[in-house]
Amino acid sequence: MYIVQIASECAPVIKAGGLGDVVYGLSRELETRGHTVEIILPMYDCMRYDHIWGLHDAYRDLWVPWYGGAVHCSVFCGWVHGRLCFFIQPHSSDNFFNRGQYYGATDDDMRFAFFSKAAIEFLLVSNKRPDVIHCHDWQTGLVPVLLFEIYKWHGMWNQRVLYTIHNFKHQGITGVNVLWATGLNNEGYYFDYDRLRDNFNPFALNLMKGGIVYSNHINTVSPHHAWEAHHGNEGYGLGHTLYLKQYKFSGILNGIDYDIWNPEVDRYIPFKYTRETLEDKAKNKKALRERLLLRDDPEKPIICYIGRLDDQKGVHLVHHAIYYALGRGAQFVLLGSATKPGINSWFWHEKNFLNNNPDAHLELGFNEELSHLIYAGADMIVVPSNFEPCGLTQMIGLKYGTVPIVRGVGGLLDTVFDRDYDENHPPEERNGYVFYQTDHHALESAMDRAIGLWKYYPEEFEKLVTQGMSYDYSWNHPGKEYLKVYEKIRHK
Ligand code: ADP
């Protein structure tokens, strides 16, 4: 099968969070299974060019229709750790992708509407006719709209679209300009509740809704989150649309790429290890302490948090976890970055406050290399999310023998099974700790159980570690699931 992924991220060249990991990991899995995959991305000024091999211009003069005229673009092509990627670079005074950041500009809706238009125009003029176009999140929600309303009539009648939603909270709320810019034009037609009109703001268009309405199939990134979005509030206003489209909506759990996230082969950690050589994990703990100037105390476990510092991730609980861990005689390492100025200055304040504490280190920013060492060196990882479509950090933690302590929502519930209370798994299949409420007590009780086991029952703790490490959350299974969906929509 020939699959083209259109996305705003692909790790490690462009990564703001899990989306990047998924686009890369899934593409690699599909290729391993003998399929052809190409990835279309924006050419951001701030992406990691050092992760691209053989970058060259593949299509020099791509003219993308935009408002009444056309924007001149170049398309570059290169390999990102073996994956063939096309990068679209517009030459216009809008400087859509030269902003020094991937997201967070006031015109993000126009930036990604342009990207969607450019990606599909590129497919058309370069004569690429994939069996499946796989789009991700609101940034590419316009692709199926453009395909089925315009490009289908220009020769792309055989293409099918799978639309994957990684985060319902960001939906691409926009206005009529997007229609005029991308050539959809017909305002009355698209401002319809059955098409792109936002379910709650009658004056706005919703790009994610467009993706849902027009695609041949839609999925989110875990079965439990699919249920939550459909039946609960987790669809952030799109629940009714999902209800109407339930016949083509499902949940597929993300995988992680065990070529990258695997302590047996990890290039970024000083001591590789397996379930059988956990003494080498302890050496990584020592290395982590040395690197972050933490005291080397054999009586203290290290608890970590790795992730965006965002309301979604339960920042107030992350904050509480730091001080609770310190109070309980543990060490805490945090690696995170915040886009909201309020949260950013809050954690900078905490960082300064804890600066001389030998048991805590807060690293604010994005640091892929350091994240590997933390996964390897820590004993436990907290993931106290408010909502979590899938969550990768708990799965990576499991692979590295770092016991997850998670809130029971979304994909966290599909992957972590409480050591003491999970009734659906026998004790030998349990792998972490789960709490449900969003208050401090809930988090504390789970952390207490984990720290208590580490301190007083080290053999039992080690058993929990090895049980977690034996789980297979690779792309093997999800890869098959995605292929089933591709096959299904392809023959429609
Ligand atoms: P989300 O997609 O909501 O951000 P996920 O848990 O799905 O969360 O994916 C997070 C990914 O991003 C993981 O690979 C994690 O290691 C990585 N990550 C998050 N924050 C940072 C950071 N500050 N530095 C390095 N890696 C990070």
Side-chain angles (χ1 to χ4, degrees):
M1 220 183 303
Y2 173 25
I3 300 131
V4 167
Q5 309 252 11
I6 305 181
S8 54
E9 293 180 36
C10 175
V13 64
I14 306 164
K15 173 167 166 176
L19 169 63
D21 287 325
V22 171
V23 170
Y24 180 86
L26 174 61
S27 304
R28 183 174 162 275
E29 177 68 26
L30 296 169
E31 287 196 66
T32 317
R33 289 170 180 277
H35 302 280
T36 303
V37 182
E38 291 171 353
I39 306 172
I40 304 183
L41 301 156
M43 188 143 175
Y44 302 98
D45 56 349
C46 54
M47 63 188 189
R48 293 278 304 259
Y49 283 83
D50 55 325
H51 283 292
I52 312 173
W53 278 262
L55 190 65
H56 62 280
D57 51 350
Y59 207 92
R60 221 169 262 177
D61 298 310
L62 175 70
W63 289 93
V64 178
W66 192 242
Y67 289 104
V71 174
H72 181 215
C73 297
S74 305
V75 183
F76 288 83
C77 165
W79 284 265
V80 173
H81 297 264
R83 310 283 78 72
L84 184 57
C85 295
F86 292 90
F87 299 93
I88 294 181
Q89 181 184 59
H91 307 289
S92 87
S93 55
D94 287 314
N95 277 316
F96 281 135
F97 306 127
N98 301 332
R99 306 292 179 84
Q101 57 184 8
Y102 301 135
Y103 312 121
T106 46
D107 59 345
D108 273 3
D109 54 343
M110 296 312 279
R111 294 171 68 214
F112 291 103
F114 179 80
F115 170 61
S116 302
K117 177 82 182 173
I120 197 159
E121 182 72 21
F122 172 57
L123 291 180
L124 178 77
V125 299
S126 61
N127 255 327
K128 292 181 183 292
R129 297 292 182 270
D131 298 299
V132 174
I133 301 175
H134 190 163
C135 299
H136 302 264
D137 268 353
W138 74 263
Q139 289 87 350
T140 54
L142 216 49
V143 170
V145 184
L146 291 165
L147 175 67
F148 293 117
E149 293 287 1
I150 299 178
Y151 287 80
K152 182 177 160 182
W153 312 107
H154 294 275
M156 296 184 69
W157 50 274
N158 219 0
Q159 279 52 61
R160 300 290 179 267
V161 180
L162 170 62
Y163 184 55
T164 299
I165 298 172
H166 301 256
N167 196 327
F168 277 101
K169 195 167 175 194
H170 307 286
Q171 301 181 355
I173 302 300
T174 182
V176 68
N177 271 357
V178 159
L179 300 178
W180 297 115
T182 56
L184 290 166
N185 299 338
N186 194 341
E187 202 178 320
Y189 180 73
Y190 293 105
F191 261 98
D192 184 302
Y193 284 113
D194 287 337
R195 295 195 181 82
L196 268 69
R197 187 177 219 155
D198 186 73
N199 291 344
F200 289 90
N201 180 350
F203 306 106
L205 296 171
N206 183 320
L207 298 182
M208 182 172 275
K209 182 171 172 182
I212 296 175
V213 170
Y214 279 84
S215 295
N216 302 95
H217 193 90
I218 325 137
N219 78 296
T220 185
V221 288
S222 71
H224 192 76
H225 192 60
W227 186 92
E228 290 171 338
H230 187 182
H231 299 284
N233 293 330
E234 303 293 312
Y236 283 88
L238 287 172
H240 181 65
T241 310
L242 292 173
Y243 170 75
L244 296 175
K245 305 292 172 192
Q246 56 184 299
Y247 60 91
K248 57 171 186 175
F249 177 52
S250 64
I252 302 177
L253 190 70
N254 279 339
I256 53 173
D257 192 329
Y258 283 164
D259 260 20
I260 297 167
W261 298 110
N262 181 353
E264 292 176 37
V265 297
D266 195 325
R267 292 183 296 124
Y268 296 122
I269 62 175
F271 304 97
K272 304 191 193 344
Y273 60 95
T274 66
R275 264 179 291 172
E276 282 78 39
T277 59
L278 282 176
E279 61 284 0
D280 289 328
K281 177 169 170 66
K283 291 184 193 159
N284 286 303
K285 182 173 179 179
K286 204 164 166 17
L288 177 65
R289 281 176 163 158
E290 272 167 22
R291 164 125 183 222
L292 302 181
L293 305 176
L294 296 175
R295 93 169 100 186
D296 192 14
D297 182 343
E299 300 292 306
K300 286 180 187 289
I302 300 182
I303 304 179
C304 72
Y305 171 82
I306 300 173
R308 291 181 293 116
L309 294 169
D310 182 277
D311 295 322
Q312 173 194 338
K313 301 288 178 185
V315 265
H316 66 293
L317 287 181
V318 172
H319 174 256
H320 188 68
I322 302 173
Y323 289 96
Y324 191 70
L326 296 178
R328 293 281 286 119
Q331 297 184 319
F332 202 96
V333 173
L334 175 143
L335 171 62
S337 55
T339 40
K340 272 197 190 162
I343 298 179
N344 192 35
S345 51
W346 177 23
F347 276 84
W348 271 103
H349 170 83
E350 298 303 335
K351 182 180 166 64
N352 292 332
F353 183 71
L354 292 167
N355 208 14
N356 295 323
N357 191 314
D359 292 324
H361 183 91
L362 274 55
E363 184 74 25
L364 301 179
F366 197 92
N367 190 334
E368 179 90 11
E369 287 81 0
L370 178 61
S371 75
H372 287 250
L373 181 60
I374 301 177
Y375 284 117
D379 298 290
M380 301 152 210
I381 179 164
V382 279
V383 193
S385 305
N386 272 326
F387 73 93
E388 194 58 82
C390 177
L392 299 180
T393 60
Q394 82 283 10
M395 294 201 269
I396 302 174
L398 285 168
K399 186 70 182 167
Y400 282 74
T402 304
V403 172
I405 304 171
V406 308
R407 183 157 171 262
V409 282
L412 297 169
L413 263 187
D414 288 315
T415 48
V416 181
F417 313 112
D418 192 280
R419 177 184 180 274
D420 303 320
Y421 299 122
D422 193 294
E423 287 172 354
N424 300 320
H425 294 80
E428 65 278 11
E429 285 179 16
R430 299 176 189 171
N431 57 13
Y433 292 93
V434 183
F435 62 96
Y436 290 89
Q437 307 305 326
T438 48
D439 57 285
H440 290 175
H441 296 303
L443 171 74
E444 287 174 8
S445 89
M447 285 179 70
D448 255 345
R449 292 189 287 130
I451 296 172
L453 195 74
W454 187 91
K455 275 198 172 150
Y456 306 116
Y457 302 94
E459 280 168 16
E460 287 293 310
F461 190 85
E462 194 174 311
K463 218 161 98 190
L464 190 61
V465 166
T466 47
Q467 281 172 203
M469 290 176 87
S470 353
Y471 267 83
D472 178 7
Y473 287 130
S474 67
W475 275 103
N476 182 21
H477 183 67
K480 283 186 207 149
E481 295 291 305
Y482 274 106
L483 279 169
K484 271 191 222 158
V485 174
Y486 293 162
E487 279 297 343
K488 193 181 99 188
I489 58 178
R490 190 182 157 195
H491 295 298
K492 266 192 183 161

